Amino acid sequence: MKTPKITLIPGDGIGPEVTSATCKIIEAAGVKVEWEVCEAGAAVFKKGLPSGVPTETIESIKRNRIALKGPLETPVGYGEKSANVTLRKLFETFANIRPIREFPGVKSPYAGRKIDFVIVRENVEDLYAGIEYMQTPGTAQTLKIITKKGCEKIVRLAFEYARSEGRKSVHCATKANIMKFSEGTLKRTFEEIAPEYPEINAQHIIVDNCAHQLVRFPEKFETIVTTNMNGDILSDLGSGLIGGLGFAPGANIGNDIAIFEAVHGSAPKYAGKNTINPTAVILSGVMMLRYLDLQDIADKVEQAVLVTLKEGKVLTRDIIGDEKAATTSQFTDEIIKNLGRTIDWWPKRQYKKLQVPKISSAPDYTKAKSRQVVGVDVFVESPMDSESLGKNLELLSEGTPFKLKMISNRGVVVYPSSGVSPDVVDHWRCRFMLKEETANLNDDLLLPLLKKIGDQHTWAHLEKLNVFDGKNGFSRDQGEN
Ligand code: NAP
């Protein structure tokens, strides 16, 4: 067997304890790994590097294309970004895979239900793109960026992941009923791609219903693909079903790069105490071995963990309570002692190497045959009431190629009035349509309108109203016809 070279980031808090337990077990199982130990997180922030990830660590991951990582603390209360998010973004690890599975001997209200599903969470887009603005002193905006390309990558990966583990179903969980463009893109992409995987049962599910079903019937799910924010919430719900964070492993997968880490954080109060449960990172190590296609070794480590948990002779504090608790090192040694033993407690899967889908890197990945810009939404900050503002903007647009179609406030049409009076703030979405239906908005038409608005009001931002291939690329507001 070739000696794999892997970047090892021990991380903060309990990180060094849980990662060293994992390395010890992997080596004892028969893989000689060349670990390249690198820094990231608190120690690096303290040295004054605001990203928390030094160049040497970035270079090591670039070289090795694979890393095992302990948790990294995110500084609270001062300017630095999360080093975890920096790593995810730098290496475009677009998928976060979180298996949720019942373990023998681990207490949970769901014990015996045979929970065994995996959440495939989009990892770089959505609200986590981190693009935020204060548009007025009292109105914040976060952009939810969802791309067709990002959806295609995550959907294909979910099907490939299901295939690599012999899973028979994939659910796509979205809020497409409300966010028809952003969440809807994931749903549509899922429905387009599903027929390419005829052996897998593909179903869409509204995400709130998915949360409800996960609590009532978690055993009916095998794979769930979802957007970043939905996945963040569903996967924590999932780890709650099976005994807590000590049992939730994870993988961040990119085009040809992968970073393996537990879902949990650095649990600083347990740092250095040798009491923490290392199972989540050990199982992240199992996922890493499977990614390297070392299926036999992965099975061997996984089985040893299951045997240790089932026998329950040597368990950590979180599983068995303080009185009978073994230390992290004793638990690790017990797993090593159990390497080579197997149990029938759980049906074994037939694992194959994960085929990460190759998708074109072209920026203009999605092209339209035709496009027209039929108007513009101007977001205006004004203390006026809706009637006065509406009348004023109608006057301003006289003599221009535009007519004011409507004004909405927090998503509800307030001008022309529908007779209801929602609570409003000084942040108005003012929709101007070109009077001539076949015309195309250009800067020569737009700039004089903006100048007129800007002379009397503060405008915060603009959105062009695009029509791609004959379909509106903008939403209607509540109450807009
Ligand atoms: P946390 O470190 O996950 O710890 C929360 C609690 O979960 C612990 O107090 C402990 O519960 C339990 N727990 C966590 N890991 C465990 C394990 N291996 N075995 C047994 N129990 C475990 O969450 P946090 O306190 O919110 O975050 C601490 C720091 O970690 C923060 O700086 C945060 O930003 C960072 N973080 C990093 C990552 C990452 O690197 N991927 C992820 C999450 C958080 P009890 O107190 O009940 O024993």
Side-chain angles (χ1 to χ4, degrees):
M1 188 196 308
K2 217 176 130 209
T3 303
K5 218 171 173 188
I6 298 173
T7 302
L8 174 69
I9 303 173
D12 300 322
I14 58 167
E17 291 159 68
V18 287
T19 50
S20 72
T22 306
C23 298
K24 214 170 147 191
I25 293 168
I26 290 177
E27 302 226 346
V31 196
K32 181 89 202 83
V33 179
E34 204 178 310
W35 301 104
E36 239 174 60
V37 182
C38 291
E39 271 192 320
V44 182
F45 286 123
K46 279 183 199 133
K47 283 183 199 162
L49 195 70
S51 69
V53 187
T55 318
E56 303 83 69
T57 305
I58 296 170
E59 289 304 320
S60 169
I61 300 177
K62 269 194 197 160
R63 247 189 335 270
N64 299 329
R65 322 301 295 170
I66 185 160
L68 179 69
K69 174 184 154 304
L72 305 179
E73 260 172 54
T74 305
V76 180
Y78 52 106
E80 280 83 352
K81 292 249 181 194
S82 152
N84 294 305
V85 178
T86 301
L87 280 169
R88 241 177 254 166
K89 297 227 161 157
L90 270 179
F91 295 106
E92 183 69 29
T93 50
F94 63 86
N96 183 233
I97 299 182
R98 294 186 176 184
I100 311 283
R101 171 184 177 169
E102 182 182 339
F103 291 96
V106 178
K107 281 198 198 110
S108 96
Y110 292 87
R113 298 274 291 266
K114 296 208 181 299
I115 294 176
D116 182 11
F117 63 89
V118 60
I119 294 190
V120 181
R121 164 188 170 193
E122 202 290 321
N123 210 20
V124 288
E125 298 193 338
D126 200 355
L127 297 163
Y128 295 67
I131 307 173
E132 292 202 295
Y133 302 97
M134 288 307 296
Q135 291 205 341
T136 73
T139 311
Q141 183 196 47
T142 304
L143 295 188
K144 181 173 168 79
I145 307 279
I146 304 267
T147 68
K148 173 81 183 164
K149 188 183 192 178
C151 290
E152 181 150 358
K153 281 160 88 169
I154 197 69
V155 166
R156 287 195 181 281
L157 189 85
F159 279 109
E160 289 296 340
Y161 196 85
R163 198 173 251 181
S164 77
E165 299 204 338
R167 292 177 184 268
K168 298 276 177 286
S169 80
V170 179
H171 282 84
C172 174
T174 77
K175 195 73 186 166
N177 50 332
I178 302 295
M179 288 166 270
K180 295 186 167 58
F181 290 127
S182 56
E183 295 270 321
T185 301
L186 183 69
K187 178 175 184 283
R188 284 186 292 278
T189 309
F190 177 76
E191 286 161 353
E192 278 161 29
I193 291 172
E196 294 179 37
Y197 297 85
E199 80 281 18
I200 296 172
N201 177 17
Q203 268 186 60
H204 176 259
I205 184 166
I206 300 285
V207 65
D208 35 336
N209 182 30
C210 184
H212 171 87
Q213 300 288 329
L214 275 173
V215 173
R216 296 200 67 203
F217 311 110
E219 60 278 50
K220 80 175 186 190
F221 292 92
E222 287 195 83
T223 319
I224 300 170
V225 62
T226 190
T227 48
N228 204 340
M229 175 83 165
N230 295 338
D232 197 0
I233 298 166
L234 290 185
S235 53
D236 268 31
L237 184 159
S239 47
L241 298 176
I242 48 101
L245 284 172
F247 295 93
N252 297 295
I253 306 282
N255 281 336
D256 61 349
I257 222 154
I259 303 175
F260 296 84
E261 62 174 334
V263 171
H264 65 69
S266 60
K269 67 180 176 188
Y270 296 117
K273 298 209 167 124
N274 199 19
T275 56
I276 206 77
N277 179 2
T279 304
V281 178
I282 297 169
L283 294 175
S284 307
V286 169
M287 294 175 81
M288 183 176 79
L289 294 168
R290 296 207 188 288
Y291 180 84
L292 289 167
D293 206 19
L294 299 171
Q295 308 298 350
D296 291 347
I297 309 274
D299 284 347
K300 193 169 166 186
V301 173
E302 188 175 55
Q303 286 291 317
V305 172
L306 296 177
V307 169
T308 307
L309 292 173
K310 175 133 199 301
E311 288 188 343
K313 289 192 278 193
V314 182
L315 297 174
T316 48
R317 177 203 54 83
D318 58 310
I319 317 174
I320 199 157
D322 283 324
E323 269 178 30
K324 296 189 198 157
T327 62
T328 308
S329 338
Q330 286 165 334
F331 180 69
T332 306
D333 291 341
E334 184 71 5
I335 295 173
I336 292 174
K337 210 173 89 194
N338 286 327
L339 286 167
R341 293 181 64 197
T342 58
I343 56 167
D344 286 336
W345 184 82
W346 199 252
K348 265 186 72 184
R349 294 190 172 280
Q350 288 301 313
Y351 293 95
K352 287 191 221 125
K353 184 170 167 54
L354 172 68
Q355 301 300 322
V356 178
K358 294 276 171 272
I359 287 174
S360 155
S361 60
D364 56 344
Y365 181 71
T366 311
K367 300 183 187 71
K369 289 195 189 76
S370 75
R371 63 169 69 208
Q372 190 192 357
V373 186
V374 295
V376 63
D377 279 352
V378 185
F379 287 75
V380 170
E381 178 185 342
S382 169
M384 289 169 115
D385 62 60
S386 56
E387 273 305 300
S388 313
L389 182 65
K391 296 271 179 305
N392 174 274
L393 292 177
E394 271 170 352
L395 262 179
L396 283 180
S397 58
E398 267 178 19
T400 74
F402 298 92
K403 64 172 186 295
L404 178 72
K405 183 171 182 233
M406 65 98 194
I407 301 175
S408 70
N409 196 290
R410 299 191 302 151
V412 179
V413 175
V414 289
Y415 185 87
S417 170
S418 62
V420 291
S421 320
D423 194 12
V424 293
V425 295
D426 58 354
H427 179 256
W428 309 89
R429 180 196 202 191
C430 308
R431 175 158 290 177
F432 294 91
M433 304 298 289
L434 282 167
K435 288 176 191 153
E436 198 186 312
E437 279 185 8
T438 52
N440 211 346
L441 180 78
N442 59 38
D443 291 356
D444 291 342
L445 299 177
L446 177 62
L447 296 179
L449 175 74
L450 278 184
K451 171 85 177 75
K452 283 180 139 196
I453 297 172
D455 283 345
Q456 295 195 24
H457 303 281
T458 301
W459 61 267
H461 94 125
L462 298 177
E463 286 292 342
K464 287 182 178 176
L465 304 179
N466 290 301
V467 176
F468 295 123
D469 294 333
K471 285 193 192 134
N472 284 355
F474 49 94
S475 60
R476 285 211 175 104
D477 266 330
Q478 216 70 45
E480 184 186 356
N481 292 313

